[in-house]
Amino acid sequence: FHRKEILETERPNTFLCEFDDYDSPSLSSSSTVRSCFEKMIREAQDSVCKAIEGADGGAKFNGSGGISRVLQDGAIWEKAWVNVSVVYRVMPPEAYRAATAIAELKPGPIMFFVARISSVT
């Protein structure tokens, strides 16, 4: 599975995408583990950006909190990035067996989800 990246000009409500039978029928629900984890990651991005802006003393990150936020020409930092990545992949059967200690594989592709925050200053 590979999904093409899409440039977002405004902060979307979610970066999650929908899959049939992935882990629940309503993946857009705010109660799923993935939705809760994404919310936590996005709040961490906001918090890190606010802390860097406060330490820099005036420069502001661009945008309203999309996947990549950039601060430029600050008093301390020439440039800083705080990024959120949301990635979906198909797990190889060997990795599934190793991760679950289950010899039998469930039918169909074994999808997994990763959300992370990273920063460069």
Side-chain angles (χ1 to χ4, degrees), residues 92-107 110:
E94 300 78 26
Y96 179 77
R97 282 189 203 100
T100 62
I102 297 173
E104 276 188 45
L105 295 178
K106 63 183 190 175
I110 303 161

Side-chain angles (χ1 to χ4, degrees), residues 3-4 10 23 25 28 36 41 43-44 46 51 53 58 66 68 71 80 83-84 89 91 107 109 111 113-114 120:
R3 186 169 183 231
K4 190 172 186 175
E10 295 181 17
D23 65 353
S28 59
C36 293
I41 293 294
E43 288 172 354
D46 292 342
E53 288 173 347
S68 294
L71 176 144
N83 305 299
V84 168
R89 296 287 186 260
M91 183 180 290
M111 304 298 297
F113 159 81
V114 176
V120 178

Side-chain angles (χ1 to χ4, degrees), residues 25-81:
S26 64
L27 298 178
S28 59
S29 167
S30 62
S31 65
T32 66
V33 171
R34 291 185 302 133
S35 295
C36 293
F37 191 67
E38 181 201 20
K39 181 178 185 278
M40 181 182 68
I41 293 294
R42 290 175 70 148
E43 288 172 354
Q45 182 186 39
D46 292 342
S47 177
V48 169
C49 288
K50 188 178 285 187
I52 291 172
E53 288 173 347
D56 194 76
K60 299 289 181 192
F61 278 87
N62 69 341
S64 60
I67 292 177
S68 294
R69 296 175 67 185
V70 180
L71 176 144
Q72 295 183 59
D73 302 320
I76 297 174
W77 290 281
E78 181 179 335
K79 193 173 271 192
W81 292 271

